[in-house]
Amino acid sequence: MKILVPVKRVVDYNVKIRVKADGTGVETASVKFSMNPFDEIAVEEAVRLKEAGKATEVVVVSLGPSAAQETLRTALAMGADRAILVQTDAEVQPLAVAKVLKALVDKEQPRIVLLGKQAIDDDCNQTGQMLAALLGWPQGTFASKVAVGDDALTVTREIDGGLETIELTLPAVVTADLRLNEPRYASLPNIMKAKKKPFETLTPGSLGVDVTPRLTTLKVVEPPRRKAGVKVADVAALVDKLKNDARVI
Ligand code: AMP
């Protein structure tokens, strides 16, 4: 069974985001980029399924600039077998990503597409759902546990009230939540080995997909600054403030 894992290159989660002075987006110059954290979890899960003998091949794919090669190499170093970069310098939005993935699914015929639940740059949480709709496949989103059978997949989902367990017939789309696993670090020997793994570069055009953005960003602004706090002398003063100023007790 082949598993396709889409991975996005995003601004690293440790970077303090700065909004561009003209309000058109966030500063990306001289900023560290890395693999979207939920996609690391998706890669880890696919590699574990391969190690458990449930999957035969893990193919990672990214839609983005040539620098997304690094992200794909990281996924190969974690244990993926093969990488595909669909190269574009255009801004890519979830619908465009889903269409490119649909074209790749038609070409590669995986039984599972395992995505992150959300990219931490746009926070859209849309791509997996759109892909499932375009393919007409069942979807298990926000997965915290995945068990693969011959023709079906059991997915435990994190929902507001607790956990929900669903069974999906394969082929299916799954999106990884935070508690699915703890991704491994790529070891130096595996980073070296990853350099020799198969790496294909395509373009959206070669897949017959138009990735032109459909949404326009009107303005990006920083959240309002929090007001400075005050120090109180003792517990009595704190209780008094909570009661009379904040009116929360
Ligand atoms: P989003 O819908 O943008 O929050 O993204 C959800 C998931 O879709 C991510 O965690 C990735 O697995 C996948 N994805 C989104 N954008 C890309 C991209 N440009 N290349 C590859 N995968 C992507």
Side-chain angles (χ1 to χ4, degrees), residues 14-159:
N14 281 312
V15 170
K16 180 154 176 4
I17 298 294
R18 277 176 301 118
V19 171
K20 283 186 190 162
D22 63 3
T24 56
V26 300
E27 285 292 355
T28 51
S30 330
V31 160
K32 183 179 174 212
F33 279 80
S34 50
M35 192 190 307
N36 181 44
F38 293 106
D39 304 352
E40 284 185 0
I41 296 172
V43 172
E44 175 67 34
E45 194 65 18
V47 171
R48 287 188 192 184
L49 287 170
K50 190 178 167 198
E51 288 168 347
K54 303 274 183 194
T56 49
E57 191 183 23
V58 176
V59 181
V60 284
V61 51
S62 194
L63 174 64
S66 73
Q69 278 183 41
E70 277 169 40
T71 315
L72 288 166
R73 292 270 176 221
T74 305
L76 292 173
M78 286 174 72
D81 299 292
R82 186 156 66 82
I84 303 171
L85 171 64
V86 182
Q87 196 173 327
T88 175
D89 288 324
E91 177 203 341
V92 285
Q93 296 178 347
L95 182 59
V97 181
K99 286 180 182 169
V100 164
L101 294 176
K102 156 94 172 60
L104 282 174
V105 167
D106 291 345
K107 191 166 175 268
E108 293 281 339
Q109 301 283 311
R111 296 279 282 160
I112 301 174
V113 184
L114 183 46
L115 306 91
K117 72 162 180 183
Q118 172 175 342
I120 61 164
D121 53 359
D122 58 23
D123 273 346
C124 278
N125 174 231
Q126 294 172 2
T127 310
Q129 294 88 331
M130 285 178 170
L131 176 64
L134 291 176
L135 289 166
W137 287 9
Q139 57 181 308
T141 51
F142 305 93
S144 62
K145 196 168 165 207
V146 171
V148 180
D150 287 340
D151 292 313
L153 190 66
T154 307
V155 175
T156 304
R157 311 181 57 236
E158 297 201 355
I159 56 170

Side-chain angles (χ1 to χ4, degrees), residues 137-239:
W137 287 9
Q139 57 181 308
T141 51
F142 305 93
S144 62
K145 196 168 165 207
V146 171
V148 180
D150 287 340
D151 292 313
L153 190 66
T154 307
V155 175
T156 304
R157 311 181 57 236
E158 297 201 355
I159 56 170
D160 274 355
L163 298 175
E164 178 187 56
T165 303
I166 55 170
E167 191 169 272
L168 314 173
T169 40
L170 291 172
V173 172
V174 176
T175 72
D177 211 328
L178 192 64
R179 277 165 283 275
L180 183 58
N181 60 49
E182 277 194 25
R184 70 195 68 188
Y185 288 104
S187 65
L188 191 59
N190 285 344
I191 293 173
M192 300 311 286
K193 266 192 232 157
K195 295 189 187 196
K196 296 204 180 96
K197 290 190 178 176
F199 196 109
E200 187 181 2
T201 303
L202 304 172
T203 59
S206 71
L207 293 167
V209 180
D210 174 10
V211 292
T212 312
R214 302 295 174 88
L215 305 172
T216 312
T217 302
L218 300 179
K219 200 172 176 198
V220 178
V221 291
E222 300 240 4
R225 280 186 191 282
R226 284 179 61 181
K227 280 200 232 138
V230 285
K231 272 193 181 164
V232 289
D234 51 27
V235 173
L238 173 66
V239 171

